[in-house]
Every structure is written in C-alpha cells, then in structure tokens.
Amino acid sequence: MELRSFPSPTLSEHLISCIVPSYIKTKNICKLNFEEKVTAMRRSFGQCWRLNLRCSANGDGASVLASNVHVREQQSCSNIPLHDARILYSVAPAMGHNKEYHPESNLRVPAIVNALEEFELTSKAMSKASDEGLIFIDGSGPTYATGTTFQESLIAAGAGLSLVDSVVSASITSPNPPIGFALIRPPGHHAIPKGPMGFCVFGNIAVAARYAQHVHGLTRVLIIDFDVHHGNGTCDAFYDDPNVFFLSTHQVGSYPGTGKIEQVGQGSGEGTTLNLPLPGGSGDYVMRSAFNEVIAPCAQRFKPDIILVSAGYDAHVLDPLAGLQFTAGTYYMLASSIKQLAKELCKGRCVFFLEGGYNLQSLSHSVVDTFRAFLEQPSLAPQFDDPAILYEEPLSKAKQAIQKIKHLHSL
C-alpha cells in the first residue's frame, strides 16, 4: 500500500505505513486545532496524540491496534490497504491511571487484549505501557485520578477520533469499511462538563460525535449505549440537539439514577433522546426484544450518517456492579445487529467505545465474541457461558417497559 495522508482541518499529520505480513500500521500524530465554534473542545484536546494503529485483513479474520507512543516501529511490511481491513481497534490502556482494588482498574484493557490474542483475533505484536510512579488523587462518584490520568485520558479520547478518521476515510472507497473499536480507558459516558464522574474523565464518545459532525460533515449521529448504567454525561451533552440521537438501555434504578423513560430530550431535541430502563434480571431475550422493537426502528427512522456505540459489558450476569444477566451471546447479537444497521443506514460507518465491564473474564470473553460478530465468525458463547447460572427473566415487566417506550416515541 502506498504511503498517503488523510487531509483534515484538525490533523497535523496522519500517515499510513506497513508492518508485519497481513497487518497495516497507521501512525497518527494528531493535534487538534478546532475553529472558534468548538473552542472549548480545543482547550481540552488541543495537544498532540501519538498513536500507532495496526490492522489485518484476510479470509479468516482481521484486526487493528492503536496504542500510545511507547510502541516501537516494526520493520517488515505488506501491501494491504486500510479499506480492506475488517476491524480497526485502538488500545489505550492507561496503565498509570490505576487505584488498587478499584473495579475500573488497569487490568481491564490488557485482559481484553490477551483474550483477543488467545483467540487469534489480533497481531501478536502488542505494546506494554511503561510503569511509572503514581500519584493517587481520589475523585468523586467514586472516580480517581493519578499523576498520569490527564495525559492518558487525552490519549484515550484521541484514539477514538483517530478511529473515526480511519472508518470515515475507508467508507469513501469501500462499500464494506471496517468497524472501529476503541479499547480505551478511562471510560467516558458519565463524564459531565463540570468534571469527572462515575469512573469517567472525558466524554470520549461525546467528543467523537462532535468531531464527526464538525470535521467530517456527518450531521446525524446515532449513539447507542448498552452499558448497564445510564450514560448521563452523553445524554446531557445532546439533550437539546436534534442531530444527535442518544439511545440508552440500562438497569432501572442503577447508578447514577438518571435515564428515566420520560426523559426524551428538550427544545428542538425533543424526541432524540430515548431511555429504556430494563428491570433487574433482564437478559438475552429481553435485550433481543429491545433491539428488534426499539433500537432498530429508531435507527431506521433517524437515518444516521454514523453510528457510535458506548459498549459497556457490565450488564453481563457475572459482573459485580450490576444485576442484569447478559451473556457473551447477547453482546454477539448486539455487535452483529449494529454492524448490519450501519451497513444499511450509513455506509457501514460505526465505531464502538469501551465503557464498563469489571469482571475480567466476562469482559474479555464478551469483547472476543463482539469481534467474532464483526468478522462474521460463529459465537463462542456456548464455550464462554454456563447457562446453569441464569435464572428466569422478568418478561412481563420488560414487555411493559418496551411497550411504554414504543408508545412514547410512536414506534
């Protein structure tokens, strides 16, 4: 593949080169320089992000990795164009952003990466962030910060923007562009303008939505949030915006207590916020019903230019911070279905962003099955999940909630 640049008014440099056979590396040196209308964003993100991105494409699978500046250059190369990749994913593990015994720990992203390697869904050339001395600063919600948190949070947000760039660029030349997955932390969907909240520092997906609009001219953005907790920060950011449809499924009564079914947006944004609180114990059957009866019809009616996904894996039955009973199979279904929606509605443009998920085994297995769905490989849920631990879902309560939301949004 030839070396080339992707012109963008906010990127100082965006180069593509090659590495190991059947892998591409994209090196992005991103320096945001937003226009006046997004001055606030420029203040937060007007720094240099150095990311390395790798992808693969063959008949059996594909992967892309982006990590921080500690990655060393690889020597060998091949000629596989970006648009032939099947998946693009970025890795920003924030190893310095860590607090002992906290569920949002620096073990989360490495656990996912190790699982992707184990199931041969990624290159073996992985990077390890250097360990540095830590400064622990307890935050609220209960959010924490260390001496490296700010810079690592910038890298995480930048990784998401880099994926938006790459996915959009690939969609110009390919009818089947790769799906992006930002394996990043700290997560972002609880972050509010006043500051960090609920383990989240910057609103990664909210920033990416505005970036897609202002930089790439993708006016209509659909955000699907299937984290077990309501993405209050994202919801608030676009509550009066008719061009961003925020759709959240979450456990009723869970942190932070927002996301009531009656919250539908305000002003010109009325109707472009949809909150579907699911009763405790909801699992695969309920989520399939919610997707078929609510998520898909909303997406089809909204007709987005790009789909962004807050992919939280804490609704898994084994997760310690919630009370739903999703399985790896549930996430396989969601990934496959959202990929199909993106293909039908917005030329395949879709980027996932890691949010919650605090049981390392269920988190990593669920992301593996997500990747397998992207690659149209069979689900490994029967291998990952023990059906004996599941219990009867609250179908009657769930049906009532789905019917109420359908009535409220005229679905």
Side-chain angles (χ1 to χ4, degrees):
M1 182 188 69
E2 66 183 49
L3 291 176
R4 66 188 188 277
S5 64
F6 292 103
S8 165
T10 66
L11 300 180
S12 60
E13 189 176 345
H14 189 134
L15 302 179
I16 295 185
S17 58
C18 307
I19 54 167
V20 294
S22 71
Y23 288 86
I24 302 171
K25 180 171 68 173
T26 304
K27 183 175 182 182
N28 303 287
I29 305 177
C30 310
K31 185 172 184 178
L32 295 188
N33 182 23
F34 283 88
E35 298 173 356
E36 247 181 81
K37 58 186 176 182
V38 282
T39 300
M41 290 171 64
R42 183 182 61 204
R43 282 199 299 266
S44 296
F45 300 100
Q47 296 197 10
C48 190
W49 289 306
R50 302 175 188 272
L51 304 172
N52 286 276
L53 202 79
R54 290 192 282 275
C55 65
S56 80
N58 56 50
D60 300 320
S63 62
V64 177
L65 164 71
S67 56
N68 62 21
V69 293
H70 301 296
V71 181
R72 293 190 174 187
E73 297 288 332
Q74 301 285 330
Q75 298 301 318
S76 56
C77 89
S78 65
N79 296 316
I80 300 175
L82 180 64
H83 60 255
D84 283 346
R86 300 278 299 283
I87 302 173
L88 302 177
Y89 73 94
S90 57
V91 175
M95 298 303 288
H97 178 75
N98 186 57
K99 182 174 175 60
E100 193 173 5
Y101 305 122
H102 196 285
E104 209 294 288
S105 76
N106 64 2
L107 300 177
R108 296 177 64 226
V109 170
I112 294 171
V113 168
N114 289 340
L116 292 176
E117 285 190 346
E118 178 184 350
F119 290 94
E120 300 181 350
L121 293 172
T122 178
S123 165
K124 305 300 180 185
M126 308 300 287
S127 66
K128 296 181 180 179
S130 61
D131 251 342
E132 300 178 358
L134 303 177
I135 303 172
F136 291 95
I137 306 171
D138 290 327
S140 62
T143 310
Y144 66 91
T146 72
T148 63
T149 293
F150 181 74
Q151 183 62 30
E152 289 173 330
S153 298
L154 287 176
I155 291 170
L161 303 191
S162 178
L163 283 176
V164 170
D165 284 337
S166 298
V167 167
V168 173
S169 295
S171 73
I172 295 171
T173 57
S174 171
N176 296 297
I179 286 188
F181 200 128
L183 291 175
I184 58 177
R185 55 179 296 275
H189 72 155
H190 292 311
I192 57 177
K194 291 182 180 179
M197 179 179 177
F199 306 173
C200 302
V201 178
F202 292 154
N204 302 318
I205 201 167
V207 171
R210 282 290 185 246
Y211 183 83
Q213 290 177 320
H214 290 290
V215 174
H216 292 289
L218 302 178
T219 303
R220 299 173 71 78
V221 180
L222 171 62
I223 300 176
I224 300 173
D225 188 329
F226 56 70
D227 191 280
V228 79
H229 305 105
H230 179 242
N232 60 297
T234 314
C235 181
D236 290 352
F238 306 112
Y239 202 61
D240 58 359
D241 190 334
N243 292 316
V244 178
F245 196 113
F246 174 74
L247 192 159
S248 174
T249 60
H250 46 275
Q251 183 178 346
V252 64
S254 62
Y255 177 90
T258 54
K260 307 300 183 185
I261 203 168
E262 297 81 12
Q263 293 179 292
V264 298
Q266 66 182 11
S268 59
E270 185 174 352
T272 56
T273 294
L274 188 152
N275 290 300
L276 178 53
L278 301 176
S282 295
D284 189 75
Y285 183 87
V286 169
M287 194 61 207
R288 286 174 186 270
S289 299
F291 190 91
N292 293 333
E293 297 185 46
V294 178
I295 297 175
C298 279
Q300 290 158 355
R301 184 171 65 185
F302 184 66
K303 296 180 175 59
D305 297 314
I306 188 171
I307 297 176
L308 305 179
V309 182
S310 272
Y313 293 89
D314 42 6
H316 194 281
V317 64
L318 296 179
D319 197 273
L321 298 189
L324 298 187
Q325 48 176 343
F326 289 9
T327 65
T330 312
Y331 294 112
Y332 182 95
M333 177 275 297
L334 285 168
S336 178
S337 301
I338 292 171
K339 176 185 176 181
Q340 185 60 33
L341 275 181
K343 183 176 181 179
E344 294 172 0
L345 302 175
C346 51
K347 300 182 180 180
R349 292 187 289 257
C350 184
V351 181
F352 279 53
F353 291 73
L354 181 66
E355 299 288 0
Y358 307 103
N359 177 300
L360 297 183
Q361 177 177 296
S362 64
L363 169 64
S364 53
H365 284 173
S366 296
V367 175
V368 163
D369 235 27
T370 296
F371 272 54
R372 291 182 68 86
F374 293 160
L375 298 171
E376 299 178 6
Q377 297 177 355
S379 170
L380 294 180
Q383 175 181 332
F384 292 151
D385 298 316
D386 179 7
I389 67 175
L390 302 176
Y391 50 94
E392 186 176 359
E393 296 183 45
L395 300 184
S396 178
K397 289 183 178 179
K399 184 176 180 180
Q400 289 177 13
I402 290 173
Q403 290 304 314
K404 183 174 181 179
I405 205 77
K406 289 172 68 176
H407 175 74
L408 195 60
H409 288 266
S410 302
L411 296 173

